[in-house]
Amino acid sequence: MIQIFAEYWRPFLYSDGMRASGLVVTLWLLAASIALGFCAAVPLACARVSRNRWLSTPVRIYTYVFRGTPLYVQLLLLYTGMYSLEFVRTQSLLEAFFKSGFNCAILAFALNTCAYTTEIFAGAIRGIPHGEVEAARAYGMSTFTMYRRVILPSALRRALPLYSNEVILMLHATTVAFTATVPDILKVARDANSATYQSFESFGIAALLYVAISFVLVAAFRRAEQRWLAYLRPAGAARPARRA
């Protein structure tokens, strides 16, 4: 494994002289898809819990479709399926977008994680104590103000444990990006395996990198939960103060 790492550490971690390393590409895929999915999931979650069927039904169908189909199939539909359509090839912007495997991978990951995140946030909104909503109404807040100042801040905090799992799962899901010729960590590992035929060492390095990234993400979310969910702890579960 040390020999493989000594030979391929630049493609894995730094650069091979022509493109970004597998680690950078993987982190960029994760960050871009999570950011896009999060921004889209917040309003979609509000629509998902709406009593207006014209708002909730389309969101329900969207989340059902993207949670009910494999991410790999979604990526293939966007990367190979969309580009095979005539109207896509005749539009210069669409052709340029769907011709790039990187763009298709980010779009597929963002749509997929958005569907799961929407349901996570919608469940957190439904789980908000009724007293908080009634208190906001008693202050005369409008629906928009109530969502902005009471419901969404409380729901996003309560959703942290489940959302952290979604981020970790999305990190694992980035491994299918190599099918769209995206040079992520797994793609570099496959190239190393093809050149050296040392499968255990090549994929072992990739596994260690994914474990390291997961460890950092878990630690970051744990710190966030300790800070933003401290008010939910029982009084007896509070940590004792340190002695001077």
Side-chain angles (χ1 to χ4, degrees):
M1 183 177 293
I2 296 178
Q3 180 181 359
I4 297 295
F5 185 75
E7 183 177 355
Y8 285 90
W9 72 271
R10 285 183 178 273
F12 270 116
L13 300 178
Y14 181 63
S15 173
D16 61 359
M18 297 179 60
R19 54 191 177 186
S21 67
L23 177 63
V24 171
V25 172
T26 296
L27 292 178
W28 175 244
L29 285 173
L30 177 65
S33 59
I34 288 297
L36 293 174
F38 180 91
C39 293
V42 172
L44 289 179
C46 297
R48 180 70 175 85
V49 300
S50 174
R51 296 180 180 179
N52 188 340
R53 292 186 177 181
W54 293 102
L55 292 177
S56 61
T57 301
V59 177
R60 183 184 306 173
I61 295 174
Y62 159 69
T63 58
Y64 181 82
V65 170
F66 277 87
R67 291 190 303 143
T69 54
L71 175 59
Y72 183 68
V73 175
Q74 297 168 17
L75 178 58
L76 290 179
L77 284 174
L78 291 175
Y79 181 57
T80 61
M82 292 296 294
Y83 194 74
S84 65
L85 300 178
E86 184 67 25
F87 78 92
V88 173
R89 295 198 302 268
T90 56
Q91 300 292 330
S92 58
L93 291 178
L94 292 178
E95 181 187 15
F97 181 87
F98 287 104
K99 192 175 182 179
S100 170
F102 199 84
N103 293 338
C104 294
I106 290 181
L107 180 59
F109 295 159
L111 291 173
N112 184 272
T113 189
C114 178
Y116 284 94
T117 306
T118 297
E119 292 295 336
I120 292 173
F121 290 169
I125 292 174
R126 296 189 188 98
I128 292 178
H130 189 66
E132 295 184 13
V133 179
E134 289 298 323
R137 290 175 178 170
Y139 272 99
M141 294 184 182
S142 63
T143 302
F144 177 79
T145 303
M146 184 169 58
Y147 266 89
R148 182 173 62 88
R149 303 188 63 177
V150 178
I151 295 179
L152 285 180
S154 179
L156 294 180
R157 290 184 178 186
R158 296 172 187 272
L160 266 178
L162 289 177
Y163 185 64
S164 64
N165 292 335
E166 170 59 22
V167 174
I168 299 298
L169 291 176
M170 183 49 55
L171 169 65
H172 299 165
T174 59
T175 55
V176 303
F178 79 93
T179 59
T181 66
V182 177
D184 65 334
I185 291 176
L186 186 59
K187 178 66 166 58
V188 176
R190 288 172 61 89
D191 292 342
N193 177 53
S194 299
T196 63
Y197 296 100
Q198 299 185 33
S199 302
F200 182 83
E201 291 80 359
S202 301
F203 294 114
I205 294 174
L208 291 176
L209 290 176
Y210 284 115
V211 168
I213 299 173
S214 298
F215 179 82
V216 173
L217 291 175
V218 169
F221 275 105
R222 185 169 297 177
R223 290 291 300 272
E225 291 175 18
Q226 291 175 352
R227 177 176 180 179
W228 289 321
L229 295 180
Y231 71 100
L232 294 178
R233 296 175 188 165
R239 294 183 178 179
R242 294 183 179 179
R243 295 182 180 180

